[in-house]
Short mmCIF file of all heavy atoms in Angstrom, two decimals:
data_model
loop_
_atom_site.label_atom_id
_atom_site.label_comp_id
_atom_site.label_asym_id
_atom_site.label_seq_id
_atom_site.Cartn_x
_atom_site.Cartn_y
_atom_site.Cartn_z
N MET B 1 28.51 18.17 24.04
CA MET B 1 28.11 19.57 23.59
C MET B 1 26.59 19.64 23.77
O MET B 1 25.86 18.89 23.08
CB MET B 1 28.57 19.65 22.09
CG MET B 1 28.06 21.01 21.55
SD MET B 1 28.37 21.04 19.77
CE MET B 1 28.24 22.72 19.45
N SER B 2 26.16 20.67 24.36
CA SER B 2 24.63 20.77 24.43
C SER B 2 24.13 21.33 23.09
O SER B 2 24.84 22.01 22.41
CB SER B 2 24.14 21.62 25.60
OG SER B 2 24.29 22.94 25.32
N LEU B 3 22.99 20.96 22.78
CA LEU B 3 22.30 21.36 21.52
C LEU B 3 21.97 22.92 21.45
O LEU B 3 21.22 23.24 22.34
CB LEU B 3 21.20 20.54 21.33
CG LEU B 3 20.60 20.30 19.95
CD1 LEU B 3 21.52 19.44 19.09
CD2 LEU B 3 19.20 19.60 20.11
N LEU B 44 26.09 14.81 14.55
CA LEU B 44 26.07 13.49 14.10
C LEU B 44 24.75 12.73 14.73
O LEU B 44 24.35 13.00 15.80
CB LEU B 44 27.29 12.68 14.71
CG LEU B 44 28.71 13.24 14.12
CD1 LEU B 44 29.82 12.72 14.91
CD2 LEU B 44 28.81 12.89 12.70
N PHE B 45 24.25 11.88 13.79
CA PHE B 45 23.12 11.15 14.27
C PHE B 45 23.54 9.66 14.36
O PHE B 45 23.62 8.95 13.23
CB PHE B 45 21.89 11.34 13.21
CG PHE B 45 20.75 10.54 13.51
CD1 PHE B 45 20.40 9.96 14.69
CD2 PHE B 45 19.92 10.10 12.28
CE1 PHE B 45 19.24 9.33 14.89
CE2 PHE B 45 18.83 9.42 12.54
CZ PHE B 45 18.44 8.95 13.75
N ALA B 46 23.76 9.21 15.57
CA ALA B 46 24.07 7.80 15.77
C ALA B 46 22.80 6.98 15.96
O ALA B 46 21.85 7.41 16.31
CB ALA B 46 24.94 7.69 16.99
N LEU B 47 22.94 5.76 15.67
CA LEU B 47 21.79 4.73 15.84
C LEU B 47 20.56 5.12 15.01
O LEU B 47 19.49 4.90 15.44
CB LEU B 47 21.53 4.64 17.33
CG LEU B 47 22.59 4.11 18.12
CD1 LEU B 47 22.27 3.86 19.58
CD2 LEU B 47 23.34 2.80 17.55
N LEU B 65 27.05 3.75 20.29
CA LEU B 65 26.81 5.18 20.80
C LEU B 65 27.97 5.83 21.59
O LEU B 65 28.56 6.86 21.36
CB LEU B 65 25.57 5.33 21.46
CG LEU B 65 25.17 6.57 22.08
CD1 LEU B 65 25.09 7.67 20.93
CD2 LEU B 65 23.75 6.54 22.81
N ARG B 66 28.50 4.95 22.47
CA ARG B 66 29.62 5.27 23.27
C ARG B 66 30.82 5.69 22.43
O ARG B 66 31.46 6.77 22.75
CB ARG B 66 29.99 4.12 24.27
CG ARG B 66 31.08 4.51 25.31
CD ARG B 66 31.57 3.32 26.12
NE ARG B 66 30.38 2.70 26.93
CZ ARG B 66 29.83 1.57 26.58
NH1 ARG B 66 30.40 0.75 25.65
NH2 ARG B 66 28.82 1.12 27.40
N VAL B 68 30.73 6.84 19.34
CA VAL B 68 30.57 8.11 18.66
C VAL B 68 30.71 9.17 19.57
O VAL B 68 31.29 10.14 19.28
CB VAL B 68 29.14 8.04 17.96
CG1 VAL B 68 28.85 9.35 17.41
CG2 VAL B 68 29.23 6.94 16.86
N VAL B 69 30.15 9.11 20.74
CA VAL B 69 30.23 10.30 21.76
C VAL B 69 31.64 10.51 22.06
O VAL B 69 32.08 11.67 22.12
CB VAL B 69 29.39 9.89 23.01
CG1 VAL B 69 29.61 10.91 24.18
CG2 VAL B 69 27.90 9.80 22.66
N GLU B 70 32.37 9.41 22.48
CA GLU B 70 33.81 9.69 22.74
C GLU B 70 34.66 10.19 21.74
O GLU B 70 35.38 11.03 21.85
CB GLU B 70 34.38 8.30 23.40
CG GLU B 70 33.76 7.93 24.70
CD GLU B 70 34.28 6.59 25.14
OE1 GLU B 70 35.19 6.00 24.47
OE2 GLU B 70 33.85 6.16 26.09
N THR B 72 33.62 11.92 19.14
CA THR B 72 33.23 13.28 18.81
C THR B 72 33.82 14.25 19.86
O THR B 72 34.15 15.40 19.38
CB THR B 72 31.64 13.30 18.74
OG1 THR B 72 31.17 12.37 18.00
CG2 THR B 72 31.19 14.82 18.34
N VAL B 76 30.80 18.39 17.99
CA VAL B 76 29.41 18.79 17.52
C VAL B 76 28.47 17.93 18.33
O VAL B 76 28.85 16.96 18.96
CB VAL B 76 29.30 18.26 15.95
CG1 VAL B 76 30.14 19.10 15.09
CG2 VAL B 76 29.56 16.68 15.89
N PRO B 77 27.21 18.31 18.33
CA PRO B 77 26.23 17.52 19.01
C PRO B 77 25.95 16.17 18.44
O PRO B 77 26.14 15.94 17.26
CB PRO B 77 24.93 18.33 19.02
CG PRO B 77 25.07 19.29 17.82
CD PRO B 77 26.49 19.42 17.71
N VAL B 78 25.75 15.19 19.37
CA VAL B 78 25.51 13.78 19.00
C VAL B 78 23.97 13.44 19.26
O VAL B 78 23.51 13.51 20.47
CB VAL B 78 26.33 12.79 19.72
CG1 VAL B 78 25.83 11.41 19.30
CG2 VAL B 78 27.78 13.05 19.29
N LEU B 79 23.21 13.30 18.16
CA LEU B 79 21.85 12.77 18.31
C LEU B 79 21.74 11.17 18.34
O LEU B 79 22.63 10.53 17.64
CB LEU B 79 20.96 13.23 17.20
CG LEU B 79 20.63 14.65 17.15
CD1 LEU B 79 21.80 15.61 16.79
CD2 LEU B 79 19.45 15.00 16.08
N ALA B 80 20.95 10.68 19.23
CA ALA B 80 20.89 9.08 19.29
C ALA B 80 19.58 8.70 18.93
O ALA B 80 18.49 9.12 19.51
CB ALA B 80 21.23 8.70 20.72
N GLY B 81 19.42 7.70 17.88
CA GLY B 81 18.30 7.05 17.53
C GLY B 81 17.83 6.07 18.76
O GLY B 81 18.67 5.48 19.37
N VAL B 82 16.57 6.10 19.05
CA VAL B 82 16.00 5.33 20.14
C VAL B 82 14.88 4.47 19.45
O VAL B 82 13.73 4.71 19.61
CB VAL B 82 15.61 6.02 21.34
CG1 VAL B 82 16.87 6.52 22.13
CG2 VAL B 82 14.69 7.17 21.10
N HIS B 93 15.70 2.43 25.62
CA HIS B 93 16.78 2.89 24.93
C HIS B 93 17.22 4.36 25.17
O HIS B 93 18.34 4.79 25.15
CB HIS B 93 16.56 2.75 23.42
CG HIS B 93 16.32 1.35 22.86
ND1 HIS B 93 17.32 0.49 23.04
CD2 HIS B 93 15.26 0.75 22.40
CE1 HIS B 93 16.82 -0.80 22.51
NE2 HIS B 93 15.43 -0.55 22.22
N ALA B 94 16.17 5.25 25.52
CA ALA B 94 16.45 6.61 25.80
C ALA B 94 17.25 6.80 26.92
O ALA B 94 18.16 7.53 27.03
CB ALA B 94 15.03 7.39 25.81
N GLU B 95 16.85 6.04 28.03
CA GLU B 95 17.66 6.07 29.29
C GLU B 95 19.14 5.72 29.09
O GLU B 95 20.10 6.30 29.50
CB GLU B 95 17.02 5.36 30.34
CG GLU B 95 15.67 6.02 30.84
CD GLU B 95 14.82 5.13 31.67
OE1 GLU B 95 14.99 4.01 31.78
OE2 GLU B 95 13.92 5.73 32.46
N ALA B 96 19.35 4.61 28.30
CA ALA B 96 20.66 4.16 28.03
C ALA B 96 21.39 5.34 27.27
O ALA B 96 22.58 5.68 27.47
CB ALA B 96 20.54 2.81 27.27
N ALA B 97 20.84 5.94 26.27
CA ALA B 97 21.31 6.93 25.42
C ALA B 97 21.73 8.22 26.34
O ALA B 97 22.83 8.75 26.08
CB ALA B 97 20.51 7.28 24.18
N ALA B 98 20.83 8.53 27.17
CA ALA B 98 21.16 9.73 27.99
C ALA B 98 22.30 9.29 28.91
O ALA B 98 23.28 10.07 29.15
CB ALA B 98 19.94 9.96 28.97
N GLY B 99 22.47 8.23 29.31
CA GLY B 99 23.57 7.79 30.36
C GLY B 99 24.83 7.71 29.47
O GLY B 99 25.87 7.87 30.11
N LEU B 100 24.78 7.61 28.16
CA LEU B 100 26.06 7.34 27.34
C LEU B 100 26.50 8.77 26.87
O LEU B 100 27.42 8.89 26.11
CB LEU B 100 25.79 6.42 26.24
CG LEU B 100 25.69 5.03 26.66
CD1 LEU B 100 25.12 4.13 25.57
CD2 LEU B 100 27.13 4.49 27.13
N GLY B 101 25.65 9.85 27.21
CA GLY B 101 26.10 11.12 26.83
C GLY B 101 25.49 11.68 25.55
O GLY B 101 26.16 12.65 25.00
N ALA B 102 24.37 11.18 25.02
CA ALA B 102 23.79 11.71 23.82
C ALA B 102 23.24 13.11 24.20
O ALA B 102 22.84 13.47 25.21
CB ALA B 102 22.70 10.87 23.43
N ASP B 103 23.21 13.96 23.13
CA ASP B 103 22.69 15.38 23.37
C ASP B 103 21.41 15.44 23.04
O ASP B 103 20.73 16.53 23.41
CB ASP B 103 23.65 16.27 22.39
CG ASP B 103 25.09 16.19 22.79
OD1 ASP B 103 25.36 16.55 24.01
OD2 ASP B 103 25.93 16.03 21.92
N ALA B 104 20.79 14.55 22.23
CA ALA B 104 19.37 14.57 21.90
C ALA B 104 18.95 13.25 21.43
O ALA B 104 19.80 12.38 21.27
CB ALA B 104 19.18 15.60 20.76
N LEU B 105 17.62 13.01 21.47
CA LEU B 105 17.04 11.75 21.03
C LEU B 105 16.23 11.97 19.74
O LEU B 105 15.66 12.87 19.41
CB LEU B 105 16.21 11.21 22.18
CG LEU B 105 16.85 11.07 23.59
CD1 LEU B 105 15.75 10.73 24.57
CD2 LEU B 105 17.92 10.10 23.52
N VAL B 106 16.19 10.78 18.99
CA VAL B 106 15.34 10.77 17.75
C VAL B 106 14.55 9.51 17.83
O VAL B 106 15.05 8.27 17.82
CB VAL B 106 16.34 10.72 16.58
CG1 VAL B 106 15.53 10.81 15.24
CG2 VAL B 106 17.33 11.71 16.56
N VAL B 131 12.58 11.25 29.88
CA VAL B 131 13.97 11.42 29.68
C VAL B 131 14.31 12.81 29.26
O VAL B 131 13.80 13.29 28.23
CB VAL B 131 14.59 10.51 28.57
CG1 VAL B 131 16.11 10.60 28.45
CG2 VAL B 131 14.17 9.02 28.92
N ASP B 132 15.07 13.63 30.00
CA ASP B 132 15.28 14.97 29.74
C ASP B 132 16.28 15.36 28.80
O ASP B 132 17.38 15.93 29.09
CB ASP B 132 15.57 15.66 31.03
CG ASP B 132 15.43 17.20 30.99
OD1 ASP B 132 14.81 17.65 30.08
OD2 ASP B 132 16.02 17.90 31.78
N LEU B 133 16.00 15.06 27.59
CA LEU B 133 16.82 15.36 26.41
C LEU B 133 15.94 15.98 25.28
O LEU B 133 14.83 15.54 25.19
CB LEU B 133 17.63 14.27 25.87
CG LEU B 133 18.92 13.74 26.71
CD1 LEU B 133 19.64 12.50 26.13
CD2 LEU B 133 19.96 14.94 26.73
N PRO B 134 16.58 16.98 24.58
CA PRO B 134 15.69 17.40 23.30
C PRO B 134 15.31 16.16 22.49
O PRO B 134 16.06 15.30 22.32
CB PRO B 134 16.60 18.31 22.65
CG PRO B 134 17.63 18.61 23.69
CD PRO B 134 17.71 17.51 24.65
#
Side-chain angles (χ1 to χ4, degrees):
Chain B
M1 174 187 201
S2 80
L3 199 71
L44 294 173
F45 174 28
L47 302 182
L65 179 56
R66 184 183 302 110
V68 171
V69 169
E70 289 178 2
T72 304
V76 295
V78 174
L79 289 68
V82 288
H93 298 296
E95 289 172 339
L100 291 165
D103 297 304
L105 304 174
V106 187
V131 181
D132 190 22
L133 280 176

